[in-house]
Amino acid sequence: MKIPSLTSTLLVNVICSATAGAVLVVAPTTMAGIIGEVPAWLCQFVGVGLMLFAGWVYWISRKLPEARAGVSWVFALDMVWVVGVPVVMVAFANYLTLWGHLLLGGSVLLVADFAWLEWYWVRRMPHDSRLHAGAA
């Protein structure tokens, strides 16, 4: 199986993050009902965060191959999602529906794939390949 390029990985991450974010912002009450006993404002908050993240990842993807540090940060934030969401799922298990568990668990698996691919590619980038302080 061929490993997707870093650019493709980041762009799919952008599409998934922006789409999920837009759904949470546009239909927070519906999504809150599907996920469980979750306030609609929390869905909107997470949605805005996902859309901002998507915009930032897109910006990083346009800076390749000079963006080693940026890709490392994308990897780190994806790992925060991979570790943090299961903690939230366990801590608030009684408040989530089956669909909530499935959606959140699915997001963890998808983001874990992104993180693995980002890690794979950042390890192959030259160490002097980073965003310049003036460009950030």
Side-chain angles (χ1 to χ4, degrees), residues 2-134:
K2 184 179 175 194
I3 294 178
S5 71
L6 178 56
T7 302
S8 296
T9 299
L10 293 176
L11 291 178
V12 174
N13 193 338
V14 166
I15 291 166
C16 293
S17 297
T19 301
V23 168
L24 289 169
V25 167
V26 172
T29 305
T30 302
M31 290 308 298
I34 292 170
I35 295 170
E37 295 177 42
V38 178
W41 67 264
L42 183 58
C43 290
Q44 285 185 315
F45 182 78
V46 172
V48 168
L50 285 170
M51 291 192 311
L52 290 171
F53 176 75
W56 180 69
V57 173
Y58 179 74
W59 182 78
I60 294 295
S61 76
R62 305 292 292 161
K63 301 292 182 183
L64 295 176
E66 294 83 26
R68 185 178 203 276
V71 176
S72 295
W73 275 104
V74 173
F75 164 75
L77 291 173
D78 280 345
M79 287 306 298
V80 167
W81 187 273
V82 168
V83 172
V85 170
V87 169
V88 169
M89 289 173 66
V90 170
F92 296 98
N94 293 336
Y95 298 98
L96 299 174
T97 64
L98 174 62
W99 281 109
H101 283 284
L102 292 173
L103 287 171
L104 291 173
S107 78
V108 168
L109 294 175
L110 180 64
V111 174
D113 287 339
F114 293 146
W116 183 88
L117 289 165
E118 292 153 3
W119 174 82
Y120 174 87
W121 286 113
V122 81
R123 303 254 314 144
R124 283 148 182 80
M125 294 173 83
H127 284 288
D128 63 347
S129 180
R130 57 187 159 295
L131 289 176
H132 303 289

